[in-house]
Amino acid sequence: MSKTMEIVGHAGIVTCCNFLNENFIVSGSNDSVLILWDIEKEGASVRQFVDHESEITCMDVCEEDRNIIVSGSDDTTIRVWDVRVKEPCTRVFEESKSSINSVKFMPGRRTTLAAGDDSGVIRLLDTKAIGKLAEYRQEEVEGVRSLVFSSSARMLFATYKTPDIFVWDTLSENPVTKIENAHRHQVTSLAISSEGDLLLSTGQDGAIKIWGKK
């Protein structure tokens, strides 16, 4: 592959980015700003979202409506954005007391997402009226690193500052199982295959691993 475009505009390190569609991308930075870029216009900055007060650490785009974005920050807030409206920040969650490390929309749900913070707490949140739907807390671990739902959304895979992968039942709020020592060091990220039958993990040990039913 060869580079087709380079976009520069943040005042700090770019910490996350994603496509909204074929024409637009969004990025977050430790300058506390989210920027919407127009690829068709050579990466022109379309809008800047400046409500966060500290580094943006994570972001996700809603698969059900790719105009909806969620971001997490070191300012301990989770913010939901709609890039189509004049006042784009449509919801703020301030329950956490520590930095937000990972955010993920639930598959098939436009208004439900999970967020994990540096204290090790994961919250299932409704972006409309309800607020917190559930809470997943593993007492002996801290620092949520990555979150990903199963394709059915019944299970939530989570990693912390450990070598293990934890699996939560989203309905009962109880841990289902744990893949112990999935990596030699901390597990850094997770992804699920499009068919939902394979789990991908990466670790500080430099390994990429694929997990599936035998």
Side-chain angles (χ1 to χ4, degrees), residues 16-195:
C16 49
C17 64
N18 206 338
F19 284 94
L20 294 191
N21 51 50
E22 293 182 354
N23 298 325
F24 294 95
I25 62 173
V26 63
S27 60
S29 167
N30 69 354
D31 61 9
S32 78
V33 179
L34 280 170
I35 301 180
L36 181 66
W37 309 90
D38 188 335
I39 304 173
E40 291 294 301
K41 296 181 178 179
E42 299 298 322
S45 173
V46 178
R47 297 186 73 177
Q48 296 193 8
F49 310 125
V50 298
D51 294 36
H52 279 297
E53 298 178 356
S54 188
E55 175 179 347
I56 295 171
T57 54
C58 51
M59 176 183 62
D60 193 33
V61 177
C62 179
E63 289 293 338
E64 301 303 307
D65 183 348
R66 297 191 69 84
N67 294 293
I68 307 296
I69 304 164
V70 60
S71 59
S73 170
D74 276 346
D75 65 11
T76 75
T77 68
I78 301 151
R79 295 178 183 269
V80 181
W81 313 82
D82 187 333
V83 301
R84 298 165 294 191
V85 300
K86 184 177 181 180
E87 298 295 333
C89 187
T90 59
R91 186 71 189 263
V92 183
F93 295 97
E94 300 177 293
E95 291 86 354
S96 178
K97 304 300 181 184
S98 59
S99 299
I100 307 301
N101 294 341
S102 184
V103 289
K104 194 70 177 175
F105 278 102
M106 179 179 280
R109 302 288 184 87
R110 184 176 177 273
T111 62
T112 307
L113 62 94
D117 66 26
D118 208 45
S119 72
V121 176
I122 302 168
R123 295 175 176 87
L124 190 66
L125 303 170
D126 177 80
T127 64
K128 294 300 183 182
I130 300 173
K132 187 174 73 173
L133 299 171
E135 184 172 290
Y136 315 103
R137 185 187 297 265
Q138 196 73 28
E139 296 296 340
E140 71 270 20
V141 295
E142 294 183 351
V144 176
R145 298 294 301 270
S146 183
L147 299 170
V148 68
F149 287 97
S150 65
S151 56
S152 68
R154 180 62 189 268
M155 302 300 173
L156 176 62
F157 299 90
T159 66
Y160 303 80
K161 295 178 181 178
T162 75
D164 308 322
I165 299 173
F166 292 77
V167 186
W168 293 91
D169 185 314
T170 56
L171 296 181
S172 70
E173 303 182 39
N174 293 319
V176 177
T177 188
K178 178 172 68 172
I179 305 173
E180 295 189 13
N181 298 313
H183 287 262
R184 292 195 301 274
H185 304 296
Q186 291 182 23
V187 185
T188 54
S189 68
L190 295 172
I192 202 85
S193 68
S194 58
E195 297 297 321

Side-chain angles (χ1 to χ4, degrees), residues 188-206:
T188 54
S189 68
L190 295 172
I192 202 85
S193 68
S194 58
E195 297 297 321
D197 57 340
L198 297 174
L199 177 70
L200 184 70
S201 67
T202 64
Q204 289 183 348
D205 54 8

